Amino acid sequence: MAQLRNVTELLERTQAILGDALLDVERQFDDELASSNPYICDILEHTRRFRGKRLRPLLCLLVAKAVGDIEREHLILAAVVEMIHTATLVHDDVLDEAAVRRHVATVNVRWNNQTSVLYGDFLFTHAFHLAASTGSADACRLIGRATNRVCEGELMQTRNRGNLSLTEEEYFSIIDGKTAELCAVSCEIGARYAGGSDAVVEAMERYGRNLGLAFQIADDVLDLTGLESSIGKTLGTDLEQQKLTLPIIRLLQLCPAEQREQLLLQLEDSSESACREVLRQARELGAVEDSLATARRCASEARQALEILPASPARELLMLLPTMSIDRSC
Amino acid sequence: MAQLRNVTELLERTQAILGDALLDVERQFDDELASSNPYICDILEHTRRFRGKRLRPLLCLLVAKAVGDIEREHLILAAVVEMIHTATLVHDDVLDEAAVRRHVATVNVRWNNQTSVLYGDFLFTHAFHLAASTGSADACRLIGRATNRVCEGELMQTRNRGNLSLTEEEYFSIIDGKTAELCAVSCEIGARYAGGSDAVVEAMERYGRNLGLAFQIADDVLDLTGLESSIGKTLGTDLEQQKLTLPIIRLLQLCPAEQREQLLLQLEDSSESACREVLRQARELGAVEDSLATARRCASEARQALEILPASPARELLMLLPTMSIDRSC
């Protein structure tokens, strides 16, 4: 089967498999929030324009379909996961002082930081209330634990800003929390509420986690290599914010001893010219290609995890996601 | 029975009734968080010093004791409510740019805003995970809904900064969310998991809500009338931040038409001298006393709600809390 060319194609093919289930999730998301409070409607209307590819609900529903049937719990919990993801984005934009997300002004810029922090809190807590509406304490536990790990990952990242001796292990621990965890739980929920066996649930969790890792590594490479205009958010911010990512950790490993001191100075400098010089070296010494190779290994592990499932259109589409998450524009 | 003289006396009498239950909650709170992540331990250690009178766990356990017995759910959910309360304090301090809480540097000052936002998120999500450990989706729903209303109240307050025509109804809606809701749910949980009837659960919810309202109105009066050194947080911040509270709303109602324009200018000015002038008028026209009378009516409603319960040392102590929450140093 051919690779996916873009997000539009992914969404079209998802709809062909899932019917209106993804739209149902979106409607649930909107209805839940819109009815709640007039002070929230205008922010909700604004953040609606942030929406991207709804990767997490899509994962949850495709896994459900590949394992069994889509149930009421899937529709609720897919909306819950998307709400939590949106909450983290709103808070991330405050932390990063980001002005633009997907070509739209962030909440902190359109309103202010106060509103952003509280709107994020509102989304988190609304998500938990919605999760409880499944009537399953188990679902609440899964969602609560995963979200807590996301926060741990983010906190660990923030506390390590400027730490130029961050290890690869610590880096993986950070991205495992802040990105992979929510993908993993989306897939776990997909399998569990479709009646998957323990082995299937575990394999789907592993699929989601490795997909998330592959995606985040590729994203970190893109942050280093990309150009501002190519995606709708500010790029090259990791170096500027002294966040060490995999290509930089690899560069520090690959860098000859006599150039290391100079490199550390450039990393601390974080001016535009220093960043360009870091990028040049990362390309030259193979740190970029090396990081992408790691992302591809995660993608391959994700695909292997799917082999436990019988062939189906949903499984076939899930097989294509890991590569798509890497081949953006590195 | 005599009034409570101070928080120490309250805690002593609570311990005499509850034994070590309140300490068990505290241990649960610490153990839960301490074991989780080294990046969190130092912040936890720091925020431990913020601890005040643990009003919400105390409410939950005293109500449980007054209605029936203290069960496992009470100990868990009392820690959950305290964790959520701490999360809102940490985020409040970012929003208010507060430097000191209970004589200790805030997280935003000791570390930075990023850490505060993420630590607050961590506490929120950890609280939900802990709530799910009761195995009761109902408990998760109660906690989720209450916390969501807290956020709505906070969001409504922020969106109304600088709105000098805030109505009394809107003010009550704000404080009902941001303060009363968590007291109400603490008492509701106390009654429900001690096997209280629907009528008892409803009455305890009403007790907690009115206690919370009385407390917040008194707090808002104190913010206007108090002196910085008398409590361990920055005072007089509401006017400075253009938050309209009950004494000011009442002052605007009581102010003669010909002085109104001048008063509005003083409120917009919010310099120290303007604030002093506003306070002088609020005292002179009876807006301060009028607000305190409203707080006392809420306190009285709270006490009435307790009458459904049989006499007991726990009920007796609960009877004293509403007045204590007002008679601080207004």
Side-chain angles (χ1 to χ4, degrees), chain B residues 59 63 67 142 145 149 172 175-176 179-192 197-215 294-309 318-319 321-322 325:
Chain B
L59 282 175
V63 167
V67 170
L142 279 177
R145 193 191 53 191
R149 286 192 184 158
F172 273 98
I175 68 168
D176 191 66
T179 309
E181 188 67 37
L182 221 46
C183 294
V185 83
S186 299
C187 296
E188 184 176 355
I189 286 166
R192 187 184 287 255
S197 68
D198 285 354
V200 165
V201 171
E202 185 277 325
M204 292 308 102
E205 203 266 359
R206 192 151 34 87
Y207 166 79
R209 191 170 300 280
N210 277 287
L211 174 70
L213 292 174
F215 177 87
T294 303
R296 282 192 287 266
R297 265 198 302 282
C298 293
S300 162
E301 283 213 32
R303 282 191 302 273
Q304 275 169 35
L306 288 175
E307 284 169 10
I308 198 171
L309 298 180
L318 288 168
M319 279 285 182
L321 282 177
S325 75

Side-chain angles (χ1 to χ4, degrees), chain A residues 161-164 236-244 248 252 260-279 281:
Chain A
R161 273 195 192 180
N163 173 12
L164 297 182
T237 51
D238 291 341
L239 278 183
E240 206 185 304
Q241 295 176 4
Q242 304 259 307
K243 278 188 218 163
L244 237 61
I248 305 301
L252 282 163
R260 201 182 145 81
E261 203 168 325
Q262 177 66 17
L263 175 58
L264 288 172
L265 285 173
Q266 282 156 348
L267 288 172
E268 276 168 5
D269 174 341
S270 76
S271 68
E272 199 188 317
S273 64
C275 289
R276 285 190 191 285
E277 182 50 25
V278 169
L279 170 58
Q281 291 175 72

Side-chain angles (χ1 to χ4, degrees), chain A residues 39 42 91 95 111 114 118 121-122 125-126 128-129 132 135 137 141 145 147-148 154 156 158-160, chain B residues 39 42 91 95 111 114 118 121-122 125-126 128-129 132 135 137 141 145 147-148 154 156 158-160:
Chain A
Y39 292 96
D42 54 347
H91 279 184
L95 308 184
W111 285 274
Q114 280 92 338
L118 293 172
D121 291 352
F122 173 82
T125 58
H126 203 92
F128 286 111
H129 187 208
R141 189 183 52 78
R145 192 191 53 191
T147 313
N148 197 229
E154 295 252 15
M156 194 174 165
T158 293
R159 303 292 304 272
N160 276 299
Chain B
Y39 291 97
D42 54 346
H91 279 184
L95 307 185
W111 286 274
Q114 281 92 339
L118 293 172
D121 291 353
F122 173 81
T125 58
H126 203 92
F128 287 111
H129 187 209
R141 188 183 53 76
R145 193 191 53 191
T147 313
N148 197 228
E154 295 252 16
M156 194 172 165
T158 293
R159 304 291 306 270
N160 275 300

Side-chain angles (χ1 to χ4, degrees), chain A residues 203-261:
Chain A
M204 292 308 102
E205 202 266 359
R206 192 153 32 89
Y207 166 79
R209 190 169 301 278
N210 278 289
L211 175 70
L213 293 174
F215 176 88
Q216 188 58 54
I217 295 168
D219 209 53
D220 289 345
V221 170
L222 201 60
D223 185 273
L224 183 65
T225 60
L227 290 162
E228 178 129 15
S229 60
S230 67
I231 343 181
K233 64 174 187 172
T234 317
L235 283 175
T237 51
D238 291 341
L239 278 183
E240 206 185 304
Q241 295 176 4
Q242 304 259 307
K243 278 188 218 163
L244 237 61
T245 58
L246 193 59
I248 305 301
I249 294 171
R250 291 274 163 86
L251 172 58
L252 282 163
Q253 288 164 357
L254 293 164
C255 178
E258 65 275 18
Q259 293 171 29
R260 201 182 145 81
E261 203 168 325

Side-chain angles (χ1 to χ4, degrees), chain B residues 32-323:
Chain B
E32 268 297 322
L33 296 177
S35 61
S36 53
N37 191 314
Y39 291 97
I40 286 150
C41 289
D42 54 346
I43 314 178
L44 175 68
E45 191 54 44
H46 182 79
T47 52
R48 198 170 279 169
R49 291 186 275 164
F50 284 6
R51 291 212 190 140
K53 52 199 164 314
R54 298 114 174 126
L55 175 65
R56 292 150 197 82
L58 186 148
L59 282 175
C60 178
L61 299 182
L62 277 178
V63 167
K65 193 75 180 171
V67 170
D69 282 327
I70 294 174
E71 307 289 346
R72 176 180 154 269
E73 285 87 349
H74 292 119
L75 300 178
I76 295 174
L77 296 173
V80 165
V81 170
E82 190 63 7
M83 221 174 267
I84 286 166
H85 177 59
T86 310
T88 64
L89 295 184
V90 170
H91 279 184
D92 277 355
D93 287 341
V94 180
L95 307 185
D96 294 347
E97 297 170 9
V100 173
R101 175 173 292 279
R102 297 199 184 108
H103 305 290
V104 177
T106 55
V107 176
N108 35 313
V109 163
R110 172 72 179 74
W111 286 274
N112 50 47
N113 280 351
Q114 281 92 339
T115 304
S116 289
V117 170
L118 293 172
Y119 182 60
D121 291 353
F122 173 81
L123 290 173
F124 270 128
T125 58
H126 203 92
F128 287 111
H129 187 209
L130 185 56
S133 78
T134 57
S136 155
D138 220 44
C140 296
R141 188 183 53 76
L142 279 177
I143 295 286
R145 193 191 53 191
T147 313
N148 197 228
R149 286 192 184 158
V150 172
C151 295
E152 275 184 340
E154 295 252 16
L155 204 44
M156 194 172 165
Q157 175 171 269
T158 293
R159 304 291 306 270
N160 275 300
R161 272 196 191 180
N163 174 13
L164 296 182
S165 46
L166 188 80
T167 65
E168 208 165 303
E169 194 189 342
E170 288 169 321
Y171 166 79
F172 273 98
S173 180
I174 288 170
I175 68 168
D176 191 66
K178 75 166 190 168
T179 309
E181 188 67 37
L182 221 46
C183 294
V185 83
S186 299
C187 296
E188 184 176 355
I189 286 166
R192 187 184 287 255
Y193 291 94
S197 68
D198 285 354
V200 165
V201 171
E202 185 277 325
M204 292 308 102
E205 203 266 359
R206 192 151 34 87
Y207 166 79
R209 191 170 300 280
N210 277 287
L211 174 70
L213 292 174
F215 177 87
Q216 188 57 55
I217 294 168
D219 209 52
D220 290 344
V221 170
L222 201 59
D223 185 273
L224 184 65
T225 61
L227 290 162
E228 178 128 15
S229 59
S230 67
I231 340 184
K233 64 175 187 172
T234 317
L235 282 176
T237 51
D238 291 341
L239 277 183
E240 206 185 302
Q241 294 177 4
Q242 305 260 306
K243 278 189 216 163
L244 238 60
T245 58
L246 192 60
I248 305 301
I249 294 171
R250 291 273 162 87
L251 172 59
L252 283 162
Q253 288 163 357
L254 293 164
C255 178
E258 65 275 18
Q259 293 171 29
R260 200 182 147 81
E261 203 169 326
Q262 177 67 17
L263 175 59
L264 289 173
L265 285 173
Q266 282 156 347
L267 289 171
E268 275 169 5
D269 175 341
S270 76
S271 67
E272 197 187 320
S273 64
C275 289
R276 285 190 191 285
E277 182 49 27
V278 169
L279 170 58
R280 192 192 60 72
Q281 291 175 71
R283 286 261 188 225
E284 195 174 290
L285 294 170
V288 167
E289 193 39 55
D290 213 38
S291 302
L292 287 174
T294 303
R296 282 192 287 266
R297 265 198 302 282
C298 293
S300 162
E301 283 213 32
R303 282 191 302 273
Q304 275 169 35
L306 288 175
E307 284 169 10
I308 198 171
L309 298 180
S312 73
R315 192 190 93 149
E316 204 177 344
L317 195 51
L318 288 168
M319 279 285 182
L320 299 178
L321 282 177
T323 304

